[in-house]
Amino acid sequence: WMDNILSNGKEVEFFCDEYRCPIFVKDVVKVIELLITKEASEMTCMALVLNLGGPDRLSRAEMAEVVANMRGLDKSSVKSVSAALMNRSMLSPPDISMNVNKLVSTLSVALTPFHVGVKIILSDDHT
């Protein structure tokens, strides 16, 4: 959706003070496959808690800047605003970023950085 809205060339407001750890969808699939394989190979039921998120802690404004940069768009259309200044019917926690170190070490998995995932998604050959 960021790509579509930024492509219009109009100034768009994005929160600069709420943080997320966006994850590339193929990483979600990879982690699920690794968990299934690991459990099957060990012939035991794993009981553990893992955070499933991407490796980067980013605000929506930072994500929009990455998308604009990848598309060669003017980053000045990304207007950073504080979530506190917006009148929203539902509040959102300011920081729902996750520490994924346990996931990475437990499964020996490399997670795709946000800018790489955006590049893959925006390319013509992302099958």
Side-chain angles (χ1 to χ4, degrees):
W1 66 269
M2 281 185 182
D3 181 37
N4 288 337
I5 199 163
L6 290 171
S7 295
N8 292 333
K10 298 177 185 172
E11 187 175 84
V12 184
E13 295 179 342
F14 293 95
F15 299 144
C16 60
D17 54 357
E18 287 190 356
Y19 298 93
R20 311 291 185 253
C21 288
I23 187 165
F24 187 48
V25 69
K26 290 185 178 184
D27 285 352
V28 175
V29 173
K30 179 173 37 174
V31 166
I32 292 169
E33 288 174 341
L34 287 169
L35 286 167
I36 292 168
T37 303
K38 185 173 177 66
E39 186 171 87
S41 69
E42 294 177 5
M43 301 294 284
T44 181
C45 182
M46 292 186 300
L48 68 150
V49 176
L50 298 171
N51 289 327
L52 183 56
D56 303 312
R57 177 183 179 266
L58 300 166
S59 69
R60 290 185 181 110
E62 291 168 321
M63 289 183 237
E65 287 175 358
V66 169
V67 172
N69 186 48
M70 291 288 173
R71 276 291 190 211
L73 302 171
D74 184 4
K75 287 194 291 188
S76 67
S77 63
V78 176
K79 182 178 178 186
S80 295
V81 297
S82 173
L85 299 176
M86 304 304 287
N87 185 11
R88 301 187 290 173
S89 59
M90 273 188 123
L91 294 178
S92 179
D95 193 342
I96 58 170
S97 60
M98 301 176 212
N99 182 331
V100 294
N101 292 339
K102 184 176 176 183
L103 172 75
V104 169
S105 64
T106 300
L107 300 179
S108 299
V109 64
L111 298 171
T112 306
F114 182 75
H115 73 280
V116 174
V118 170
K119 184 176 182 178
I120 293 168
I121 289 169
L122 296 180
S123 72
D124 291 334
D125 53 325
H126 66 279
T127 55

